[in-house]
Amino acid sequence: RAICVSGTSATCLLARGLEASRPARMYDYDISSGDDGAASDRVADLIDRYVPEKHTARANTGSLAKLLLWIEERALSTDDDDDEASAEVLCHQSDYISMSLMHEGLDDGEKCTVTSDWHNCLKLGYDVREREFPAWMRTLLEEGAGVPNADAILPAAVVSPGEPFGAISPAVASRYGLSSDVALVGGTTDSNAAFFAAAGARPEAGTAVTSLGSTLAMKMLSGTFVEDAGRGVYSHRFPRFGSSEDDDDDEDDGLWLVGGASNVGCAVLRQEGFTNEELAELSAEIDPNSDSPLSYYPLTKKGERFPIADSAKQPVLTPKPDDRKEYLHAILQGIGDVERDGFRILGELGASPADPTIVWSCGGGSKNDMWISMRERRLREGGHQGGVEVRRAKNTEASYGAALLAAASFED
């Protein structure tokens, strides 16, 4: 009945209708790495002058920075030009795919408009509290970057993830054997889709998801908005299904998906030479209820972003015991303590509740039952409420979360 598209955060391109007019820039593209150093410097200056302090859109890898660099490299064609179809508009990955599913094969392909969503537009500068592009953003684009009409190069509409906004084109429906009444709904980012997969589309405040991959990422559903760009902490407005428009205007009833990501993670285990077999064997010998006397900060290299922002932070993996089991115990405890401190920081920044009530675990590290027990104990000992549960998520794929989001809008 519906399709929801998720894509990596801040992966974007410029498009004229259904035609990509500039090569896409991936989620991890940093404007400082561009070929034109002078253009990158001008963009950095614009961001410094116009984007509010600690705003998520100040990031060098955000979609706003990428848009500004495109403008500095070559002026955008706009709908003020003689040829209306030549206007370039910013599209996130999921925006472009949804637009193609709606308009491919139709005569209006050249005049189709871009619809985006709250989650993908966060790093573009969209105000997720007021649900509009802010005045500072228009001033930046028009006065700072010289764009004649900021609205012409931004998505025409920004909807809630999961909110229906169009229907699949007959040509696409025929190609894939789908019903002609399949709806397109607002998209989301891959990391948020993974949260939906693990926690479901209708979790309660206090529900958290920790991804134990190469790095450590934490997200928690909060009743309050939290932001600290200096530590990479930001809030996504959580979709509300089945709410009336009047209810949707009441921010106090809204929920926010707050989170941060550390450079600490399971990559250090490979760096230190642990094999899958060794990890399983040694973990079975570790008592999750006992503390290691060693205090590690297991980075793989210099630099941390969350729960502390310190580009000079050094890895701490010493003293190193001769016993591999004791070494592993200390590393796993160190990663778990970063998770504990991360949730503590979210609480100190104003997340509500201040502590998670349940933490769903995903990623390769979630397969380790002993580690789940260790992390639960450390979270309980370090928390204010002490009742947190840590469990392994049954579903973790972003595609599963996007499907849940698509289905949720059509539930009674």
Side-chain angles (χ1 to χ4, degrees):
R1 297 181 60 185
I3 295 174
C4 175
V5 182
S6 72
T8 47
S9 177
T11 294
C12 53
L13 68 152
L14 293 177
R16 297 186 185 98
L18 297 182
E19 176 189 355
S21 59
R22 313 267 183 117
R25 285 177 167 156
M26 296 298 290
Y27 65 96
D28 57 352
Y29 179 90
D30 190 316
I31 61 164
S32 64
S33 65
D35 295 331
D36 188 340
S40 297
D41 290 342
R42 290 194 297 271
V43 170
D45 180 63
L46 287 172
I47 290 174
D48 189 56
R49 284 193 286 136
Y50 289 95
V51 183
E53 292 275 342
K54 296 189 175 182
H55 198 288
T56 304
R58 293 180 69 90
N60 278 357
T61 55
S63 42
L64 178 62
K66 292 164 187 169
L67 172 62
L68 291 171
L69 185 58
W70 272 315
I71 295 170
E72 290 295 329
E73 290 170 341
R74 186 177 79 242
L76 271 62
S77 57
T78 71
D79 58 7
D80 291 333
D81 296 336
D82 293 337
D83 182 4
E84 182 176 333
S86 71
E88 291 181 291
V89 181
L90 181 98
C91 293
H92 297 97
Q93 178 183 7
S94 58
D95 307 341
Y96 181 76
I97 294 171
S98 295
M99 181 171 65
S100 298
L101 292 173
M102 282 182 61
H103 293 279
E104 189 172 314
L106 300 179
D107 292 338
D108 67 348
E110 291 184 340
K111 299 180 181 179
C112 56
T113 57
V114 177
T115 297
S116 192
D117 61 87
W118 298 341
H119 293 172
N120 276 288
C121 280
L122 181 70
K123 294 180 181 179
L124 180 58
Y126 185 76
D127 188 330
V128 291
R129 285 176 284 189
E130 298 298 328
R131 279 161 283 183
E132 63 183 14
F133 288 110
W136 64 258
M137 193 172 171
R138 288 184 170 83
T139 303
L140 161 60
L141 291 171
E142 295 176 2
E143 295 182 9
V147 174
N149 179 6
D151 290 335
I153 66 171
L154 298 173
V158 182
V159 302
S160 167
E163 178 183 339
F165 65 84
I168 195 170
S169 80
V172 173
S174 175
R175 180 189 306 168
Y176 296 109
L178 301 173
S179 171
S180 60
D181 63 355
V182 169
L184 271 299
V185 304
T188 186
T189 61
D190 277 349
S191 61
N192 285 351
F195 180 93
F196 296 126
R202 301 175 187 270
E204 297 180 352
T207 302
V209 173
T210 293
S211 176
L212 298 162
S214 297
T215 57
L216 180 71
M218 291 154 278
K219 289 181 181 288
M220 186 178 84
L221 200 57
S222 166
T224 51
F225 177 90
V226 174
E227 184 175 64
D228 185 347
R231 286 191 272 201
V233 175
Y234 49 85
S235 292
H236 283 285
R237 180 179 280 276
F238 199 75
R240 297 173 61 197
F241 306 104
S243 300
S244 70
E245 187 173 344
D246 291 338
D247 290 339
D248 213 26
D249 288 336
D250 186 356
E251 183 180 332
D252 291 339
D253 289 339
L255 292 175
W256 301 92
L257 190 54
V258 306
S262 169
N263 290 334
V264 164
C266 296
V268 71
L269 299 173
R270 297 300 183 220
Q271 176 181 277
E272 297 305 304
F274 287 98
T275 65
N276 290 342
E277 294 75 16
E278 188 180 19
L279 288 171
E281 180 181 334
L282 295 179
S283 294
E285 298 175 5
I286 295 173
D287 179 3
N289 295 311
S290 67
D291 291 336
S292 168
L294 301 170
S295 181
Y296 286 173
Y297 205 94
L299 293 163
T300 58
K301 58 183 179 180
K302 182 178 75 172
E304 178 60 303
R305 46 185 173 159
F306 178 79
I308 57 173
D310 183 359
S311 60
K313 177 72 175 176
Q314 293 287 347
V316 179
L317 289 165
T318 57
K320 184 175 180 179
D322 294 331
D323 189 322
R324 292 281 283 176
K325 182 189 77 171
E326 294 303 320
Y327 190 39
L328 177 62
H329 188 173
I331 291 175
L332 295 181
Q333 178 177 287
I335 298 173
D337 286 353
V338 172
E339 176 189 26
R340 177 199 63 197
D341 293 345
F343 284 123
R344 176 180 56 79
I345 290 296
L346 294 180
E348 291 177 357
L349 290 173
S352 176
D355 305 298
T357 55
I358 183 169
V359 178
W360 294 102
S361 304
C362 57
S366 67
K367 300 174 183 178
N368 190 321
D369 291 331
M370 184 282 302
W371 198 15
I372 286 179
S373 297
M374 178 195 293
R375 289 168 45 231
E376 181 177 85
R377 179 178 63 83
R378 302 286 287 189
L379 282 169
R380 288 182 174 182
E381 291 174 353
H384 302 295
Q385 298 177 356
V388 63
E389 296 181 61
V390 179
R391 301 178 185 174
R392 181 185 301 109
K394 293 181 179 179
N395 299 297
T396 60
E397 291 295 328
S399 57
Y400 186 88
L404 286 181
L405 202 54
S409 291
F410 292 90
E411 293 178 357
D412 295 329

